[in-house]
Amino acid sequence: MESMPKPSMESDDKLHIVMLPWLAFGHMIPFLELSKLIAQKGHTVSFISTPRNIDRLPKMPPNLAPLINLVKLQLPQVEKLPENAESTTDLPYDKVKYLKMAYDQLQQPMTQLLADMAPDLVIYDFAPYWLGPVAAKLGISSVLFSIFIAASLCFAGPIPVLKGEDDRTTPEDFTVTPKWIPFKSNIARFRLFEVKRVFDDVTSVDDENIPATYRFGAGIEACDVLAVRSSYEFEPEWLKLLQQIHQKPIIPIGLLPTTAYDSSDNGEAWTEIKEWLDKQSKRSVVYVAFGSEAKPNQAELTEIALGLELSELPFFWVLRNRSSVADTEVIELPNGFEERTKERGVVCTSWAPQLKILSHDSVGGFLSHSGLSSVVEAIQCKPLILLSSWRTQG
């Protein structure tokens, strides 16, 4: 963190840094991992979220807990937002916009909190696009931390494009390399079937809410530094291009693999899973999991299940048949699937310790939804089989 802007103080002074992630666990967990890295340098972190989300975060390592203050900020109630809904995992996709409305009402209490805390630095997510100007008025340096890699941010475009001046209006427009990317790359474009899955998310303008792209544009415009979940070893050309596009300092902070701490070793759940994995041959098991919020539709789920069955490979499948507790569109496995595969497969419908499963010698591959956190966890130890462009809640 030494290259981030600092107030005028002695170089050996410790900083107080405020973190404000968006209310999705795919955002909160990387922000928490970054908080741990900052705390390891001896700095103090105030990690801010809503009460229910704070209570659901992983346990903090004992050596870092004194330096990471978990601050609970009450989420305002808005019409159409279900009671006790404080994260995207609590909501079906079409209700997430009301969570963003409630989140935007945190501007005034966050302003007061920053004034009272007087931190040296605030690190914020794409959603609180209003926080950069607030920090500037209070004389606080600011960093927008993107959990998305530099290639994704380059594809999204410069600030005017993010804020609405985008001439890409059809799905086909997103299947070619944007004009601001000067080199050829298959990364810098969608395949048509992929973009059709997310086209409404990319281009829609909702009268009830601020588009995600606008939030990113305004947030980047107002920050002093743009931090990216990436590294120069991973995507050097994209990080250099990102700096050219936005003309401000870019800090790649690494891929932030999860370092969850749990003194109970995950208890009975892991014991039972490990017993089953121990019985399987080395590198024979396909681990299947699509994250906490991505969800296939019924036709996709059926095809995945039948494909696993035809493969005749042992598998461990962590299956979420609904994207949230409020999701009424429950998906189901094909009739007889579990009975036909019970000798070589496990379908787990509850929580499972993904890092421990991926690290087990019997697991030979990971079938995933392409979420960056899952990809980062897997590339440390296992080959990946990726399904892309499933709509998530972030």
Side-chain angles (χ1 to χ4, degrees):
M1 302 302 294
E2 284 75 15
S3 56
M4 286 188 180
K6 295 181 182 180
S8 56
M9 54 169 60
E10 296 298 323
S11 60
D12 59 348
D13 281 354
K14 298 304 181 183
L15 303 177
H16 176 201
I17 298 170
V18 167
M19 309 282 284
L20 183 64
W22 164 234
L23 305 179
F25 281 91
H27 291 245
M28 286 184 275
I29 298 304
F31 267 75
L32 193 62
E33 292 300 327
L34 179 56
S35 298
K36 293 177 186 178
L37 292 176
I38 292 170
Q40 286 174 6
K41 300 293 185 180
H43 306 300
T44 299
V45 177
S46 292
F47 185 99
I48 299 173
S49 192
T50 64
R52 193 158 179 251
N53 289 330
I54 292 291
D55 292 341
R56 290 184 287 186
L57 290 174
K59 292 181 180 179
M60 205 65 60
N63 63 313
L64 299 180
L67 291 171
I68 301 177
N69 303 316
L70 301 177
V71 181
K72 297 180 178 180
L73 195 60
Q74 194 65 45
L75 187 70
Q77 279 296 308
V78 301
E79 187 180 358
K80 300 180 183 179
L81 181 66
E83 187 177 0
N84 297 324
E86 296 185 11
S87 81
T88 56
T89 196
D90 301 324
L91 296 162
Y93 178 80
D94 62 350
K95 299 286 187 184
V96 171
K97 60 185 177 181
Y98 303 117
L99 186 66
K100 288 180 179 176
M101 290 179 185
Y103 189 80
D104 286 341
Q105 291 189 24
L106 292 177
Q107 179 173 350
Q108 193 281 326
M110 269 302 302
T111 300
Q112 187 61 53
L113 199 59
L114 288 177
D116 293 341
M117 287 182 167
D120 302 298
L121 186 70
V122 59
I123 301 178
Y124 62 95
D125 210 333
F126 82 100
Y129 66 100
W130 33 262
L131 196 57
V134 168
K137 288 180 181 178
L138 294 172
I140 301 169
S141 296
S142 65
V143 176
L144 187 144
F145 168 38
S146 167
I147 69 160
F148 303 103
I149 62 174
S152 296
L153 294 179
C154 289
F155 181 79
I159 288 169
V161 171
L162 290 169
K163 294 179 73 174
E165 298 179 19
D166 195 348
D167 56 8
R168 295 176 292 184
T169 58
T170 70
E172 287 76 12
D173 292 334
F174 290 85
T175 64
V176 297
T177 303
K179 57 188 176 185
W180 51 83
I181 295 179
F183 47 80
K184 291 183 179 180
S185 173
N186 290 331
I187 297 174
R189 60 186 183 184
F190 280 100
R191 288 172 290 186
L192 187 59
F193 77 90
E194 293 172 334
V195 72
K196 284 183 174 179
R197 289 293 304 268
V198 297
F199 182 68
D200 289 343
D201 294 339
V202 174
T203 61
S204 64
V205 177
D206 188 341
D207 291 339
E208 291 186 285
N209 214 326
I210 305 296
T213 50
Y214 183 92
R215 291 174 186 270
F216 253 118
I220 293 173
E221 187 175 39
C223 71
D224 296 310
V225 172
L226 176 58
V228 186
R229 189 182 184 185
S230 186
S231 70
Y232 278 110
E233 294 81 3
F234 181 58
E235 48 172 1
E237 71 278 27
W238 294 107
L239 286 162
K240 291 175 183 177
L241 178 59
L242 190 64
Q243 196 279 328
Q244 294 170 16
I245 288 173
H246 291 301
Q247 292 295 301
K248 60 177 57 189
I250 306 295
I251 297 181
I253 58 173
L255 295 175
L256 302 178
T258 305
T259 57
Y261 170 80
D262 189 345
S263 59
S264 69
D265 200 33
N266 302 123
E268 294 182 7
W270 169 237
T271 300
E272 293 179 7
I273 293 169
K274 185 176 183 301
E275 287 177 357
W276 185 84
L277 291 172
D278 287 344
K279 296 175 184 177
Q280 311 308 313
S281 300
K282 187 175 181 179
R283 299 182 67 82
S284 67
V285 175
V286 179
Y287 174 58
V288 185
F290 302 122
S292 60
E293 295 172 16
K295 174 189 169 185
N297 61 35
Q298 183 60 62
E300 291 165 337
L301 178 73
T302 298
E303 291 297 318
I304 292 166
L306 295 178
L308 281 173
E309 185 175 352
L310 288 170
S311 75
E312 298 186 353
L313 293 170
F315 64 87
F316 190 96
W317 189 349
V318 180
L319 175 64
R320 289 175 58 88
N321 57 12
R322 57 178 67 191
S323 61
S324 70
V325 293
D327 184 5
T328 58
E329 296 181 8
V330 179
I331 52 177
E332 297 180 349
L333 292 168
N335 288 336
F337 171 80
E338 289 184 85
E339 178 63 26
R340 295 192 301 270
T341 60
K342 66 181 181 181
E343 297 300 323
R344 60 179 176 85
V346 172
V347 177
C348 174
T349 56
S350 59
W351 174 86
Q354 180 160 290
L355 277 173
K356 290 182 177 293
I357 293 171
L358 286 171
S359 299
H360 197 280
D361 287 343
S362 70
V363 175
F366 180 21
L367 176 58
S368 170
H369 67 305
S370 308
L372 184 56
S373 291
S374 290
V375 169
V376 168
E377 290 175 359
I379 59 176
Q380 300 175 80
C381 50
K382 293 295 184 292
L384 283 157
I385 310 111
L386 298 178
L387 295 172
S388 62
S389 296
W390 281 0
R391 176 179 283 169
T392 61
Q393 310 279 63

